[in-house]
Amino acid sequence: MVLPFQNTYARLPGSFFEKAQPTPVVQPSLIVLNDELALTLGVDPEFLRSKEGLAILAGNAIPEGAEPLAMAYAGHQFGGFSPQLGDGRAILLGEIGGKDIQLKGAGPTPFSRRGDGRSALGPVLREYLVSEAMHAMGIPTTRALAAVASGELVLREAPEKGGIFTRVASSHLRIGTAQFFAARRDLESLKALVEYANRRHYPGTTGALGLLQKVITRQAELVAKWMGVGFIHGVMNTDNMSLSGETIDYGPCAFMDHFDPARKFSYIDQQGRYAYQNQPGIAQWNLTRLAEALLPLIDNDAEKAVELAKAELENFPALFKAAYHEVFSKKIGLVQNKDEELIQSLLDLMAKEKADFTLVFRCLGEGRESFLAQFQNDAKAREWHDRWQTSGEPDTSLMHTMNPAFIPRNHRIEEVIEAAKQDNFYPFRELLRVLQRPYLNQPEFSKYQRPPAPDEVVCATFCGT
Ligand code: AMP
Ligand code: MG
């Protein structure tokens, strides 16, 4: 089968990338393939399962029509600027059906610096589960097409089994891509980037200011959706924020169990820069970095450019607030809800009681007793429930499409990864199946619904390298 590659990114100026070939592995085996996604791309899943297909997904063969490359970008990481990052362990094969097809962990590229260009199996399976769960919950995200075991070891804290992940994205353009050209004062490339991003993601939009406005809107909506499912991205560096508004880079991310607005997971994020409640502020900070990068294209008059960019950035808090309010109003089933305090008082109660974020909202739609069971302090919970009931006619079917029963809980992810390391992929497949239908009651899988017991709590996730 000849895969229908388009290579629009490879047609951009040479400053955008370096050519890079995947490095073959000795004995690859397919762990999981996303048939449904393959079909939507117009690719026969049976082909991808064949020997020829596996060779492509492992980086052992380059499909006809692909032009493998590593993308160039810069980025602010934990606040500090690196003018030169680039794909050190990801290789873009090309686009199919307008989507990027990228191999992650397929060997070093010219941007690898001291890295090995490889991925351990754990982070590959984590990204597979979490990105597909996000998709199933209706949250914009990159997708998982395949996970392959490389049959080789990668050296991390200890030697670990290696994996190769095939990521599908609307594009891999990042805020850091614009920063890369801005830092080099390469205005020609910056202009080409703006035109390309607008053409690909925002047809009808023109110019740098237009792009900025669109990215601000998409990111405000995206972060509001994350907040609505208790998602903590964990590494919101500017190279991990996409211009398309999809969630990208599932390194140290996690979903909260009990509600704590100051919750952070990433083990390297000691300061809590990327904690749950800081995410909107960080998104705005990152968007400000995007605006700065785009300034020379916004207006020839530097002062005027700053004014115009500032006016767009100032919209972010209101856009976020509106999106956040909409998400949470739907979560409590009151679409017309004007009472911000109603939502906030529930969140305050949840924080105080360390109630489980997912279960509280899910149970609210299932009845009073079910809801009250999530709290120790019955009186306060009753009081809130009374207030909620008198605030309007809750739409419980809407609530069931907004409040997942199943999220990828960290302790379960860790559990299935441990089994996979012993070559038992059954738990991984089972959890994946459950997470693909997050809004459906699946009583036979209730164990995946439960928060961790005290001895099962996983405190930090590690950087996905
Ligand atoms: P991340 O934290 O995954 O966003 O990665 C930050 C930067 O480090 C990116 O430029 C990655 O390509 C690069 N990187 C991460 N892990 C590796 C690795 N194992 N080999 C080479 N480059 C890496
Ligand atoms: Mg990254």
Side-chain angles (χ1 to χ4, degrees):
M1 182 182 182
V2 178
L3 299 173
F5 274 104
Q6 308 123 341
N7 299 309
T8 64
Y9 195 86
R11 300 282 91 77
L12 288 166
S15 51
F16 278 71
F17 59 87
E18 297 281 346
K19 289 189 172 161
Q21 300 288 316
T23 306
V25 292
V26 179
Q27 211 179 25
S29 56
L30 185 68
I31 299 170
V32 55
L33 179 75
N34 193 335
D35 288 55
E36 170 245 309
L37 180 58
L39 289 170
T40 64
L41 293 169
V43 176
D44 181 0
E46 287 318 311
F47 168 72
L48 292 177
R49 276 181 215 285
S50 70
K51 210 170 150 198
E52 208 186 331
L54 172 62
I56 294 168
L57 298 172
N60 283 4
I62 309 222
E64 201 182 317
E67 292 179 53
L69 59 86
M71 297 168 76
Y73 51 87
H76 272 92
Q77 300 181 302
F78 294 91
F81 186 62
S82 299
Q84 168 93 55
L85 292 168
D87 283 334
R89 57 160 169 178
I91 294 176
L92 179 68
L93 294 177
E95 303 116 45
I96 296 182
K99 304 280 184 193
D100 278 11
I101 311 294
Q102 192 189 61
L103 299 180
K104 214 172 148 186
T109 76
F111 300 118
S112 294
R113 292 168 290 166
R114 274 162 301 162
D116 59 3
R118 293 295 183 191
S119 280
L121 201 55
V124 166
L125 297 180
R126 168 180 284 275
E127 175 156 358
Y128 200 111
L129 287 170
V130 182
S131 63
E132 287 306 299
M134 291 289 261
H135 170 74
M137 288 189 281
I139 298 175
T141 177
T142 60
R143 302 283 311 271
L145 182 62
V148 165
S150 68
E152 295 180 359
L153 293 176
V154 294
L155 199 60
R156 294 296 179 260
E157 269 135 66
E160 287 193 39
K161 288 182 178 164
I164 298 147
F165 180 73
T166 308
R167 180 160 70 186
V168 175
S170 289
S171 87
H172 287 84
L173 302 174
R174 309 138 192 274
I175 289 180
T177 318
Q179 289 182 292
F180 179 77
F181 298 125
R184 304 170 146 217
R185 314 246 179 281
D186 178 356
L187 296 192
E188 283 307 304
S189 298
L190 193 61
K191 207 159 169 231
L193 170 66
V194 167
E195 281 167 14
Y196 181 75
N198 278 335
R199 199 164 55 239
R200 210 164 154 185
H201 301 305
Y202 308 110
T205 301
T206 53
L209 196 64
L211 176 65
L212 178 64
Q213 186 192 16
K214 289 285 196 282
V215 181
I216 289 172
T217 308
R218 289 281 175 95
Q219 287 291 343
E221 289 165 1
L222 179 67
V223 177
K225 287 183 176 163
W226 290 353
M227 304 297 276
V229 291
F231 178 73
I232 299 167
H233 182 284
V235 61
M236 286 177 74
N237 295 332
T238 57
D239 53 308
N240 293 334
M241 265 180 89
S242 78
L243 297 185
S244 73
E246 286 178 345
T247 312
I248 183 168
D249 208 308
Y250 292 91
C253 65
F255 287 77
M256 272 195 275
D257 294 301
H258 71 82
F259 182 58
D260 171 8
R263 188 80 168 100
K264 67 174 179 81
F265 281 95
S266 172
Y267 145 90
I268 43 177
D269 186 11
Q270 294 298 338
Q271 307 300 316
R273 178 181 171 90
Y274 299 141
Y276 176 81
Q277 68 192 358
N278 294 350
Q279 296 185 121
I282 287 291
Q284 190 174 1
W285 191 90
N286 289 343
L287 290 161
T288 308
R289 305 289 83 77
L290 174 63
E292 281 166 4
L294 296 177
L295 279 179
L297 301 184
I298 290 176
D299 202 284
N300 286 333
D301 175 342
E303 261 177 51
K304 190 164 172 218
V306 171
E307 251 173 59
L308 290 167
K310 255 179 131 173
E312 293 301 336
L313 289 164
E314 278 164 8
N315 290 330
F316 180 87
L319 286 168
F320 172 76
K321 202 171 162 199
Y324 177 90
H325 187 69
E326 187 186 329
V327 165
F328 278 88
S329 293
K330 285 181 176 165
K331 285 178 80 67
I332 61 169
L334 301 174
V335 197
Q336 305 300 334
N337 169 46
K338 299 271 180 290
D339 184 0
E340 284 174 28
E341 216 281 311
L342 184 64
I343 293 162
Q344 193 51 49
S345 59
L346 175 59
L347 291 171
D348 291 343
L349 184 62
M350 286 162 63
K352 199 154 170 254
E353 299 252 325
K354 292 190 174 9
D356 186 82
F357 185 88
T358 306
L359 289 181
V360 165
F361 286 103
R362 183 74 182 181
C363 293
L364 180 62
E366 285 178 354
R368 187 176 170 92
E369 289 316 309
S370 194
F371 172 77
L372 294 178
Q374 302 306 316
F375 297 91
Q376 319 275 337
N377 187 336
D378 219 35
K380 285 262 186 270
R382 266 170 212 282
E383 209 178 285
W384 187 87
H385 198 272
D386 290 343
R387 225 181 110 196
W388 172 68
Q389 279 191 314
T390 53
S391 297
E393 184 68 46
D395 180 346
T396 47
S397 47
L398 173 69
M399 290 172 79
H400 267 64
T401 65
M402 286 300 292
N403 297 321
F406 297 94
I407 51 152
R409 292 188 189 265
N410 227 7
H411 67 298
R412 293 300 180 195
I413 296 182
E414 292 304 319
E415 198 176 82
V416 306
I417 288 173
E418 280 315 307
K421 285 182 183 168
Q422 311 301 321
D423 294 321
N424 175 11
F425 296 102
Y426 182 77
F428 169 81
R429 285 186 224 289
E430 183 177 82
L431 179 57
L432 177 63
R433 250 179 82 77
V434 171
L435 294 174
Q436 281 165 339
R437 288 165 298 173
Y439 297 110
L440 191 73
N441 282 328
Q442 303 173 63
E444 65 281 29
F445 295 118
S446 62
K447 72 169 184 180
Y448 291 119
Q449 227 177 334
R450 282 196 294 273
D455 63 334
E456 291 174 322
V457 175
V458 182
C459 293
T461 62
F462 298 92
C463 193
T465 45

